[in-house]
Amino acid sequence: MGKSITVGLNPGYDLGAILAAADQQLKAQGYETTLTIMNQNCAALVVKKDRDGIKNIIGMGVECQVNINIFNGNTMTVNIESEWTNKIIAVAVGWFLCLIPFITGIIGCSNQSSLPNKIGQVIQSSAASGGMNQQYPQPPYQQ
Protein backbone atom coordinates (compact mmCIF):
# COMPACT_ATOMS: atom_id res chain seq x y z
CA MET A 1 0.00 0.00 0.00
CA GLY A 2 1.79 3.06 -1.23
CA LYS A 3 0.83 6.69 -1.06
CA SER A 4 1.95 9.32 -3.52
CA ILE A 5 1.82 13.08 -2.93
CA THR A 6 2.67 15.90 -5.33
CA VAL A 7 3.75 19.20 -3.79
CA GLY A 8 4.42 22.48 -5.58
CA LEU A 9 7.66 24.19 -4.62
CA ASN A 10 8.42 27.88 -4.31
CA PRO A 11 11.15 29.31 -6.54
CA GLY A 12 14.56 29.07 -4.92
CA TYR A 13 13.60 26.10 -2.74
CA ASP A 14 16.25 24.24 -0.76
CA LEU A 15 15.51 20.52 -0.67
CA GLY A 16 17.93 20.02 2.22
CA ALA A 17 16.23 22.67 4.35
CA ILE A 18 12.74 21.34 3.56
CA LEU A 19 13.65 17.78 4.47
CA ALA A 20 15.68 18.82 7.52
CA ALA A 21 12.59 20.65 8.82
CA ALA A 22 10.40 17.61 8.14
CA ASP A 23 13.01 15.39 9.81
CA GLN A 24 12.99 17.58 12.94
CA GLN A 25 9.20 17.63 13.12
CA LEU A 26 9.01 13.83 12.88
CA LYS A 27 11.72 13.41 15.53
CA ALA A 28 9.76 15.78 17.79
CA GLN A 29 6.79 13.42 17.44
CA GLY A 30 8.92 10.51 18.69
CA TYR A 31 9.86 8.84 15.40
CA GLU A 32 13.34 7.63 14.47
CA THR A 33 14.34 9.05 11.10
CA THR A 34 17.16 8.48 8.66
CA LEU A 35 17.49 11.16 5.99
CA THR A 36 19.65 10.59 2.91
CA ILE A 37 19.95 13.36 0.33
CA MET A 38 21.39 11.83 -2.84
CA ASN A 39 21.53 15.01 -4.94
CA GLN A 40 19.59 18.27 -5.36
CA ASN A 41 16.65 16.42 -6.95
CA CYS A 42 16.43 13.14 -5.03
CA ALA A 43 16.30 12.09 -1.39
CA ALA A 44 15.16 9.20 0.79
CA LEU A 45 13.74 9.20 4.30
CA VAL A 46 13.09 6.24 6.58
CA VAL A 47 10.62 6.89 9.40
CA LYS A 48 10.11 4.30 12.10
CA LYS A 49 9.00 3.84 15.67
CA ASP A 50 9.22 0.84 18.02
CA ARG A 51 10.96 -1.40 15.46
CA ASP A 52 13.21 -3.03 18.05
CA GLY A 53 12.35 -5.69 20.58
CA ILE A 54 9.00 -7.08 21.59
CA LYS A 55 6.87 -4.29 20.10
CA ASN A 56 8.12 -5.20 16.65
CA ILE A 57 7.44 -8.90 17.20
CA ILE A 58 3.85 -8.32 18.32
CA GLY A 59 3.10 -5.98 15.41
CA MET A 60 3.19 -2.62 17.20
CA GLY A 61 6.24 -1.23 15.34
CA VAL A 62 5.64 1.13 12.42
CA GLU A 63 7.92 2.01 9.50
CA CYS A 64 7.69 3.85 6.18
CA GLN A 65 10.17 4.31 3.36
CA VAL A 66 9.81 7.74 1.73
CA ASN A 67 11.30 8.61 -1.68
CA ILE A 68 11.37 12.27 -2.68
CA ASN A 69 11.99 13.38 -6.27
CA ILE A 70 12.00 16.87 -7.81
CA PHE A 71 10.67 17.28 -11.36
CA ASN A 72 11.03 20.39 -13.54
CA GLY A 73 12.48 22.31 -10.58
CA ASN A 74 9.05 23.19 -9.18
CA THR A 75 7.24 19.93 -8.37
CA MET A 76 8.14 17.52 -5.59
CA THR A 77 6.78 13.97 -5.75
CA VAL A 78 6.73 12.06 -2.47
CA ASN A 79 6.22 8.27 -2.57
CA ILE A 80 5.55 6.60 0.78
CA GLU A 81 5.73 2.81 1.17
CA SER A 82 4.59 1.20 4.42
CA GLU A 83 6.03 -1.88 6.14
CA TRP A 84 3.27 -4.40 6.93
CA THR A 85 5.16 -7.67 7.46
CA ASN A 86 5.30 -7.69 11.27
CA LYS A 87 1.61 -6.81 11.54
CA ILE A 88 0.56 -9.59 9.15
CA ILE A 89 2.62 -12.13 11.09
CA ALA A 90 1.21 -10.95 14.44
CA VAL A 91 -2.39 -11.17 13.18
CA ALA A 92 -1.81 -14.65 11.70
CA VAL A 93 -0.15 -15.96 14.86
CA GLY A 94 -2.88 -14.39 16.98
CA TRP A 95 -5.62 -15.88 14.83
CA PHE A 96 -4.30 -19.44 15.14
CA LEU A 97 -2.53 -19.54 18.52
CA CYS A 98 -3.23 -16.71 20.93
CA LEU A 99 -5.53 -13.71 20.91
CA ILE A 100 -3.01 -11.18 22.30
CA PRO A 101 -0.82 -10.88 19.16
CA PHE A 102 -4.01 -10.63 17.10
CA ILE A 103 -5.14 -7.58 19.08
CA THR A 104 -1.72 -5.92 19.07
CA GLY A 105 -1.39 -6.65 15.35
CA ILE A 106 -4.72 -4.92 14.68
CA ILE A 107 -3.59 -1.91 16.77
CA GLY A 108 -0.30 -1.87 14.83
CA CYS A 109 -2.25 -1.94 11.54
CA SER A 110 -4.23 1.09 12.67
CA ASN A 111 -1.05 2.96 13.62
CA GLN A 112 0.69 1.95 10.37
CA SER A 113 -2.22 3.08 8.20
CA SER A 114 -2.15 6.58 9.72
CA LEU A 115 1.64 7.05 9.44
CA PRO A 116 1.80 7.86 5.69
CA ASN A 117 -0.76 10.64 6.20
CA LYS A 118 1.28 12.11 9.07
CA ILE A 119 4.46 12.00 7.00
CA GLY A 120 2.71 13.58 4.02
CA GLN A 121 1.33 16.41 6.15
CA VAL A 122 4.74 17.11 7.69
CA ILE A 123 6.48 17.20 4.30
CA GLN A 124 3.75 19.41 2.81
CA SER A 125 3.97 21.89 5.69
CA SER A 126 7.77 21.94 5.47
CA ALA A 127 7.62 22.54 1.70
CA ALA A 128 5.03 25.30 2.11
CA SER A 129 7.25 27.11 4.59
CA GLY A 130 10.38 26.47 2.51
CA GLY A 131 12.01 24.68 5.42
CA MET A 132 11.78 27.75 7.62
CA ASN A 133 9.93 26.00 10.44
CA GLN A 134 13.14 24.76 12.00
CA GLN A 135 13.51 25.92 15.57
CA TYR A 136 16.88 27.45 16.24
CA PRO A 137 18.21 28.11 19.73
CA GLN A 138 17.38 31.58 21.00
CA PRO A 139 20.30 33.86 21.84
CA PRO A 140 20.86 34.37 25.56
CA TYR A 141 19.03 37.29 27.18
CA GLN A 142 21.20 40.38 27.55
CA GLN A 143 20.60 43.29 29.89
Side-chain angles (χ1 to χ4, degrees):
M1 296 179 79
K3 179 179 175 109
S4 184
I5 301 168
T6 302
V7 180
L9 295 172
N10 297 325
Y13 72 91
D14 180 8
L15 182 62
I18 291 169
L19 294 180
D23 185 56
Q24 276 189 336
Q25 287 182 30
L26 290 165
K27 284 181 179 176
Q29 295 177 18
Y31 294 100
E32 297 174 39
T33 60
T34 305
L35 175 61
T36 306
I37 298 176
M38 289 157 224
N39 58 39
Q40 62 188 8
N41 295 323
C42 185
L45 178 66
V46 177
V47 181
K48 59 185 172 178
K49 187 176 191 178
D50 298 328
R51 289 291 290 177
D52 298 326
I54 192 73
K55 284 192 173 185
N56 187 38
I57 294 170
I58 61 174
M60 297 287 287
V62 294
E63 180 174 349
C64 282
Q65 307 278 335
V66 183
N67 294 314
I68 300 106
N69 296 303
I70 307 293
F71 295 105
N72 299 329
N74 61 0
T75 305
M76 179 168 59
T77 303
V78 181
N79 297 309
I80 305 170
E81 293 292 330
S82 297
E83 174 61 44
W84 291 96
T85 308
N86 63 338
K87 283 147 253 349
I88 293 168
I89 292 171
V91 168
V93 167
W95 183 261
F96 293 109
L97 298 177
C98 176
L99 191 59
I100 294 171
F102 180 80
I103 294 169
T104 59
I106 295 297
I107 293 169
C109 286
S110 173
N111 293 340
Q112 183 69 53
S113 66
S114 67
L115 184 58
N117 292 331
K118 288 180 187 177
I119 294 170
Q121 289 172 351
V122 166
I123 291 176
Q124 285 177 332
S125 69
S126 296
S129 67
M132 296 300 173
N133 51 359
Q134 295 183 14
Q135 295 183 0
Y136 296 102
Q138 296 295 324
Y141 177 74
Q142 296 178 1
Q143 292 181 333

